[in-house]
């Protein structure tokens, strides 16, 4: 154990039943996150992005002492921003989270860019992804990562979408949840605001008036402006009233026997294609 | 309960500790699948595709009697091809699989198009996806679904890839595992055979000589011929010797702060873009 990595202000945490340990574990619960306005961040990738992109939000980092060497570079980064990097026994880290891979962190929600629609002004000429009642945290996290990778400037999450502060969402986003603002609100409020701001709002549906390939082939010029891409619930897609609020509905041409794509896959296909057009000009 | 859906040859299965029940559950184990040459197929979507695309492989279908109405159409389809649709108590179905959502099936491996390289002749001018040591069954299944959706004619799985007969792979493929041949073998054998057959083999890597956007912009004509897309292990990507066997390495341009994409997402981005070019001509 490289003790010099740790501040004198912290001791080895070795009691898996201590109050602090169950408090951290309890942050997997939405009500607890909301009550304490704190978030649990699991695994080296998500912790690293938290430390880099939202250092002011970091409260505590917990690391398995047996894995200090393995996480050395990340711990050095973390120590630059906080004294509260705690060495823990493996049992303690495992009691905090079964998905920590030896390291997890607690962050203040208030210092993270997860905001309501009223607090957020959409940038003027950008790409925005809208998650409309996405239920699965793995899908939601993957979609945030896709949005980030292809240059979206914000992710909107409509009411009924899985809680964006869920540790599973953050983990599936591979830390992209800390890279761009996440804006929450009612579908109609979010989409109306986007249209007012000049955004072209494309919904997605299996049955649609326009295919992605047609859009790319004939109307790529129109993709240079502000564009919002809206993806609906896994089982039911976009609801009738949600579709009506979009400017147009897009489908993805498919050539085999598969009837549909997983929503995160669909988001990757459409967002990457739109981003390619926007960056070619 | 709509008893007329069931043959007189079957009785209600109501003993969760019966030998038949533990046999089915045991098929989640690779060794058992290999020993008995049988496969467990979980959930309505995968069972439906099995019944439609590989009817000769179906041995038994098991359904929760309380969900007979819910699965009515699927049961009618299943009954057309087999007498062995068994009504079961909920406990029995749950003991067979925790992911059945009320319905599962057992199929013969031999009647499924999962073949070794020697048994398979690559079609002459097609798109093929190669999974090189993909470890996560969710990723592997999603990639099969992507390959199917974008018109690939086969999926190759190199040694070291997760077992393609795993129930988790089949489930994540949403039944696409029954839509196209899955070919297994050593990386070098599979890729050498593809190149001999005139395939252009594109590997994927974060650091590559060619970006997907460059390929699409300047050399789309070359994508009209036989093309193989190779995706490497989640943690380490393609190994040095695997890269060397590819004609060229491709990367995906990214515009945000995300360092990488999940491999199934990367497969969706590249495969959909290549398919679009092939279908525009």
């Amino acid at each position: 154990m490289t003790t010099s990595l740790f501040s004198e202000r912290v001791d080895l945490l070795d009691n898996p039943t201590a109050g602090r340990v169950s408090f951290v574990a309890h942050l997997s619960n939405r009500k607890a996150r909301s009550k304490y306005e704190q978030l649990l961040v699991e695994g080296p990738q998500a912790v690293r992005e938290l430390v880099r992109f939202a250092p002011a939000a970091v409260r505590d980092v917990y690391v398995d002492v047996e894995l200090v060497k393995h996480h050395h570079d990340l711990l050095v980064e973390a120590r630059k921003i906080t004294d509260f990097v705690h060495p823990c026994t493996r049992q303690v880290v495992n009691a905090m989270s079964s998905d920590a891979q030896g390291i997890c962190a607690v962050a203040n929600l208030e210092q993270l860019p997860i905001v309501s629609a009223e607090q957020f002004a959409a940038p003027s000429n950008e790409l925005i992804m809208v998650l409309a009642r996405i239920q699965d945290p793995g899908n939601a996290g993957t979609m945030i990562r896709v949005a980030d990778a292809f240059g979206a400037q914000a992710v909107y999450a409509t009411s009924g979408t899985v809680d964006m502060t869920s540790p599973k969402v953050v983990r599936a986003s591979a830390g992209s949840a800390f890279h761009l603002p996440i804006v929450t609100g009612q579908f109609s409020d979010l989409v109306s605001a986007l249209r007012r701001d000049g955004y072209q709002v494309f919904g997605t549906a299996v049955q649609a008036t326009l295919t992605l390939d047609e859009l790319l082939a004939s109307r790529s010029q129109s993709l240079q402006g502000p564009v919002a891409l809206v993806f609906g619930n896994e089982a039911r897609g976009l609801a009738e009233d949600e579709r009506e609020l979009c400017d147009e509905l897009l489908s993805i041409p498919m050539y085999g026997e598969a009837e549909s794509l997983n929503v995160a896959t669909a988001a990757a296909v459409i967002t990457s294609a739109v981003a390619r057009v926007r960056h070619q000009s």
Side-chain angles (χ1 to χ4, degrees), chain A residues 7 53 56 62 108 127 157 182 189 203 208 211 215 218 249 251:
Chain A
S7 158
F53 285 81
Y62 301 97
N108 288 321
L127 182 62
I182 294 177
D189 295 343
T211 72
L215 175 68
S218 66
L249 294 176
S251 66

Side-chain angles (χ1 to χ4, degrees), chain A residues 46-89:
Chain A
V47 171
R48 187 184 63 225
E49 300 310 299
L50 171 73
V51 165
R52 288 187 183 167
F53 285 81
V58 176
R59 289 178 69 94
D60 296 277
V61 176
Y62 301 97
V63 63
D64 177 347
V65 286
E66 296 177 50
L67 293 173
V68 163
K69 227 173 165 176
H70 181 72
H71 293 308
H72 178 269
D73 295 354
L74 170 52
L75 294 173
V76 170
E77 283 193 63
R79 280 288 286 121
K80 285 184 189 153
I81 59 151
T82 178
D83 276 353
F84 299 109
V85 178
H86 308 267
C88 307
T89 62

Side-chain angles (χ1 to χ4, degrees), chain A residues 1-2 16 36 53 63 74 87 106 113 116 140 144 147 153 163 166 171 178 202 211 217 244 260 271:
Chain A
M1 180 183 157
T2 324
Y36 298 106
F53 285 81
V63 63
L74 170 52
V106 171
S116 65
I144 295 170
Q153 292 296 305
D163 179 21
S166 151
R171 204 172 64 245
F178 305 122
F202 292 101
T211 72
E244 278 170 12
S260 64
T271 311

Side-chain angles (χ1 to χ4, degrees), chain A residues 146 150 212 216 231 252-253 261 264-274 276:
Chain A
V146 163
F150 295 108
L212 174 63
L216 297 171
F231 301 95
I252 298 175
L261 291 169
T265 305
V269 169
I270 294 180
T271 311
S272 63
V274 169
R276 188 173 307 123

Side-chain angles (χ1 to χ4, degrees), chain A residues 77-260:
Chain A
E77 283 193 63
R79 280 288 286 121
K80 285 184 189 153
I81 59 151
T82 178
D83 276 353
F84 299 109
V85 178
H86 308 267
C88 307
T89 62
R90 179 155 298 180
Q91 287 86 338
V92 162
V93 173
N94 288 346
M96 288 173 168
S97 158
S98 57
D99 292 300
Q101 300 168 259
I103 191 160
C104 63
V106 171
N108 288 321
L109 277 178
E110 226 179 89
Q111 271 89 38
L112 290 174
I114 303 177
V115 297
S116 65
E118 305 85 61
Q119 303 165 270
F120 186 76
S124 61
N125 183 20
E126 297 294 357
L127 182 62
I128 284 177
M129 184 187 286
V130 182
L131 276 54
R133 294 174 300 109
I134 300 298
Q135 290 296 296
D136 179 78
N139 283 340
T142 303
M143 292 168 81
I144 295 170
R145 189 175 180 185
V146 163
D148 180 18
F150 295 108
Q153 292 296 305
V155 168
Y156 283 25
T158 74
S159 308
T161 296
V162 60
D163 179 21
M164 299 309 257
T165 67
S166 151
K168 288 184 186 172
V169 171
V170 171
R171 204 172 64 245
S173 85
S176 284
F178 305 122
H179 294 166
L180 74 185
I182 294 177
V183 184
T184 59
Q186 296 292 333
F187 185 96
S188 57
D189 295 343
L190 292 175
V191 169
S192 304
L194 284 169
R195 292 184 64 170
R196 220 168 27 239
D197 290 339
Y199 274 73
Q200 254 193 110
V201 178
F202 292 101
T204 47
V206 175
Q207 305 290 347
T209 46
L210 183 67
T211 72
L212 174 63
D213 294 10
E214 289 163 357
L215 175 68
L216 297 171
S218 66
R219 289 166 45 188
S220 63
Q221 196 55 39
S222 72
L223 296 175
Q224 303 298 337
V227 167
L229 301 171
V230 186
F231 301 95
N233 175 269
E234 288 90 340
R236 284 174 299 275
L238 291 174
E240 182 97 22
D241 58 330
E242 292 170 341
R243 292 173 185 225
E244 278 170 12
L245 286 170
C246 297
D247 288 304
E248 203 144 18
L249 294 176
L250 266 186
S251 66
I252 298 175
M254 293 191 289
Y255 311 106
E257 301 289 352
E259 284 179 7
S260 64

